[in-house]
Amino acid sequence: MNPRRKRQQHGSRSRTGCRTCRARRVKCDETPGKCGNCTSTGRPCEGYEVYRLPLPGGPKTKRGGGPPLTPAAASRFRWVVTSDERRCFAFFCDRTIRDAVAFYDSARWPRMVLDMANTDPAVCHAVIALGAAHQETVFGGMQSQLALTAQRTSWHWVATEQLARAFGLLRRRNPHDPQLREVMVLCCLLFVLTSLIRRDYDSVIRHLRSGLRIVKELEARISPTLVAVFRHLETQAIHFGLGDHLHEPNYMRLPANLWPPTQPIDQSPDALEPLHHGVLHFMLRGWGSSAEIIAAHYEALHAEQTALLSKVTQTQASFAGVRAMHYRTLSFKEQRGADITELLLQTHSLGLRTCLLKNDPARLEPFTPEYAALVTMAERVITKFPEKPSLLDFTVRWRALQALRSWPHNEGAFDSLVVSTVLWERFQIELKVRVATDLRSLLGSDVGPEEFDTMVNRQVEDQLRFITGNEDRELAQAGAYLSHAIDSDHSMKSWTCVGRLLNLKA
């Protein structure tokens, strides 16, 4: 009988053994530090995976579920890997790539990552870390991660260990290696995506800033695909305060119409990126400035606002013509992408026209029907997804929050649940301010402070019950998570939306 077959029949393979023995599929004697099985045969022992070791005083935690392995994805390694690594790599190939290529069938950067992952161990470990983190989110649920007592699955520790291995390999890399810069850019991208999924925003900023710096220094020698990906991430993360690395600082130099009639519709993400960046940059300036600053510089701000609005309007008209001509010939995924591009342009138009009004109810009131139409358009786009991914009128706001939470998803630096939680906190604060203002104007100063606060709180509860229909319990738990996250994650306090929320609370 074949000795190897005999060993498989009569010996059970250890699941807590060292990485080398597990990759060789032999039983490990589990000697602390380095196992005797490896040292006695002259092999390097790669140590033990901490998340596999039994917990002191109790049984091991139950492992999270996982998808079946894809043979094509799990059999191309040029070095030994464990079953967990194969599974997470397969998950990245089968699920993460599908979710990461956004709304157009362009998988250029994932293909680059896969090609490099099969030749470079650092990129491979970074890919496995992203697959593990994404796997934890999918099987644990994005909603459950907003709880303060969220229990970590084994996939969390797989991702942590794989990140550490990737970091270690990069530190030991020869600085004269001609592939080093491209490997570092790819790893930075994977680290950013992993940190976004895990909502570790300090790490997001650190890795994104490093990647942007490398791309800016070596843009001519880096793949245009990677440059485009980092441009997109820079735009999405503009509220992190990273500054302009890859975009033209003077966005007023942009052409009047960024969508020529001959532009293919599936190129909208790259073609409109400069416009998105310019509009978001201007809107953040408007939202972050006080009414006094806006009044003092209104003439210059209004000129920029008019110029940008003109570019958005002309681009809208041109895109609408091309969309109407080619919409029926697009794939279903590309049709959704075109719908989202149309929604984004409409959002830019409305945001530009209101960002300098500083929450003035009288001046913002006429825009409420447009906000309602915008939410209706968003709801229509969301219904096209088989898997489900501030406004003046509070009923319209609640519809927007429901639409946002009905499709939990990450799109680059945007996390739908974090955004909806921030908006929910602002929703409650502004509703309370409005109720207090109305009651004070009605009752004057005849009511004492404690009695007045009780009346305000009762009115707010009644109005929330009427608006939400008692469907706000989950959001209340998410609000507790947000307060904890702001206290523990220092970078969140620098976000424009969080800063405005803290100012409102103050």
Side-chain angles (χ1 to χ4, degrees):
M1 179 181 289
N2 188 324
R4 182 173 180 178
R5 184 176 182 83
K6 184 176 180 180
R7 180 171 65 246
Q8 289 177 344
Q9 288 178 348
H10 299 286
S12 60
R13 182 163 57 92
S14 172
R15 294 187 176 277
T16 56
C18 73
R19 288 176 49 83
T20 306
C21 289
R22 291 188 61 245
R24 293 177 59 218
R25 298 176 181 272
V26 299
K27 186 171 180 62
C28 179
D29 65 7
E30 301 183 15
T31 303
K34 294 183 179 180
C35 86
N37 197 4
C38 291
T39 55
S40 64
T41 57
R43 290 183 172 86
C45 180
E46 295 193 24
Y48 302 91
E49 293 168 326
V50 177
Y51 62 90
R52 281 188 168 273
L53 299 180
L55 295 175
K60 289 194 296 183
T61 56
K62 184 178 179 181
R63 295 188 60 75
L69 294 180
T70 302
S75 61
R76 297 182 294 175
F77 297 103
R78 301 184 182 184
W79 45 83
V80 293
V81 294
T82 66
S83 59
D84 286 338
E85 291 171 335
R86 288 179 179 273
R87 184 174 298 281
C88 294
F89 192 90
F91 191 87
F92 174 85
C93 297
D94 296 340
R95 179 66 184 269
T96 307
I97 289 178
R98 187 189 72 190
D99 292 354
V101 295
F103 309 108
Y104 294 95
D105 294 315
S106 172
R108 290 174 296 175
W109 74 262
R111 194 175 300 117
M112 289 180 60
V113 169
L114 287 178
D115 290 342
M116 188 66 74
N118 285 293
T119 59
D120 189 275
V123 177
C124 181
H125 287 299
V127 166
I128 293 169
L130 177 54
H134 191 202
Q135 195 165 189
E136 181 188 30
T137 299
V138 170
F139 291 105
M142 289 186 69
Q143 303 278 3
S144 64
Q145 293 187 13
L146 291 179
L148 290 175
T149 58
Q151 217 172 11
R152 297 299 188 186
T153 69
S154 59
W155 302 121
H156 172 82
W157 306 114
V158 172
T160 300
E161 181 164 351
Q162 293 298 316
L163 287 173
R165 291 176 70 83
F167 291 145
L169 288 168
L170 288 175
R171 291 191 189 101
R172 296 194 296 271
R173 196 70 173 256
N174 184 347
H176 302 294
D177 186 338
Q179 284 192 316
L180 177 60
R181 290 296 182 181
E182 189 165 49
V183 167
M184 290 183 66
V185 171
L186 278 175
C187 285
C188 281
L189 173 60
L190 294 166
F191 295 157
V192 167
L193 297 178
T194 302
S195 300
L196 284 168
I197 288 177
R198 302 172 83 175
R199 296 189 173 95
D200 180 3
Y201 295 109
D202 285 335
S203 296
V204 170
I205 292 176
R206 184 171 64 254
H207 297 313
L208 184 54
R209 183 175 283 122
S210 298
L212 289 170
R213 185 176 63 250
I214 296 171
V215 172
K216 185 176 181 179
E217 291 175 357
L218 303 170
E219 185 171 348
R221 287 181 279 171
I222 293 178
S223 165
T225 299
L226 281 178
V227 175
V229 170
F230 272 93
R231 284 183 188 275
H232 186 60
L233 282 173
E234 183 183 29
T235 295
Q236 290 189 327
I238 193 170
H239 60 283
F240 289 164
L242 295 176
D244 292 317
H245 293 266
L246 305 179
H247 288 85
E248 169 62 53
N250 187 1
Y251 47 83
M252 299 306 295
R253 298 177 184 174
L254 295 174
N257 181 7
L258 278 87
W259 198 271
T262 57
Q263 181 82 35
I265 201 166
D266 61 350
Q267 295 181 9
S268 69
D270 294 340
L272 298 180
E273 191 68 52
L275 181 63
H276 296 331
H277 187 85
V279 170
L280 287 174
H281 194 281
F282 180 82
M283 288 195 295
L284 285 177
R285 284 172 57 200
W287 292 334
S289 301
S290 65
E292 292 75 15
I293 292 178
I294 291 177
H297 302 89
Y298 184 76
E299 186 175 344
L301 289 171
H302 181 66
E304 291 185 46
Q305 179 189 40
T306 303
L308 275 174
L309 190 57
S310 173
K311 298 178 192 297
V312 170
T313 303
Q314 292 185 56
T315 303
Q316 269 185 297
S318 184
F319 180 80
V322 175
R323 178 180 180 276
M325 187 182 302
H326 300 289
Y327 192 80
R328 294 182 181 275
T329 64
L330 300 176
S331 67
F332 182 67
K333 188 175 184 179
E334 289 173 339
Q335 287 181 352
R336 292 187 304 186
D339 293 340
I340 289 176
T341 299
E342 181 184 38
L343 176 65
L344 189 59
L345 288 171
Q346 183 61 31
T347 303
H348 286 344
S349 174
L350 190 53
L352 282 171
R353 285 179 284 144
T354 58
C355 66
L356 300 181
L357 301 183
K358 296 307 295 179
N359 296 323
D360 184 339
R363 299 170 67 190
L364 286 169
E365 183 64 33
F367 293 97
T368 298
E370 290 191 58
Y371 277 116
L374 195 64
V375 174
T376 301
M377 187 186 300
E379 291 170 337
R380 191 165 58 246
V381 171
I382 289 173
T383 58
K384 292 188 177 183
F385 283 79
E387 66 288 339
K388 294 297 182 188
S390 159
L391 311 169
L392 277 181
D393 182 84
F394 285 97
T395 304
V396 178
R397 292 192 189 197
W398 177 245
R399 284 177 55 200
L401 282 169
Q402 286 181 307
L404 194 57
R405 293 186 68 81
S406 70
W407 178 32
H409 69 287
N410 292 89
E411 166 61 21
F414 292 114
D415 184 321
S416 65
L417 295 183
V418 172
V419 171
S420 64
T421 304
V422 171
L423 293 177
W424 170 244
E425 292 295 300
R426 183 183 176 112
F427 179 102
Q428 297 177 90
I429 293 170
E430 293 189 358
L431 179 61
K432 187 171 183 178
V433 170
R434 177 173 293 187
V435 168
T437 301
D438 292 343
L439 279 178
R440 183 59 73 189
S441 63
L442 180 66
L443 302 175
S445 56
D446 297 331
V447 181
E450 293 184 3
E451 184 180 358
F452 181 79
D453 289 342
T454 302
M455 295 175 66
V456 168
N457 291 334
R458 189 180 298 119
Q459 285 276 355
V460 169
E461 290 175 3
D462 291 341
Q463 292 203 25
L464 282 175
R465 195 177 301 113
F466 174 79
I467 294 170
T468 67
N470 284 328
E471 296 180 9
D472 57 346
R473 294 180 182 177
E474 208 172 63
L475 280 164
Q477 296 175 353
Y481 160 81
L482 180 67
S483 299
H484 175 77
I486 292 173
D487 291 338
S488 58
D489 196 329
H490 300 297
S491 64
M492 291 186 70
K493 295 180 181 178
S494 64
W495 297 5
T496 304
C497 57
V498 172
R500 296 174 71 196
L501 179 63
L502 295 175
N503 289 336
L504 283 172
K505 286 185 175 182

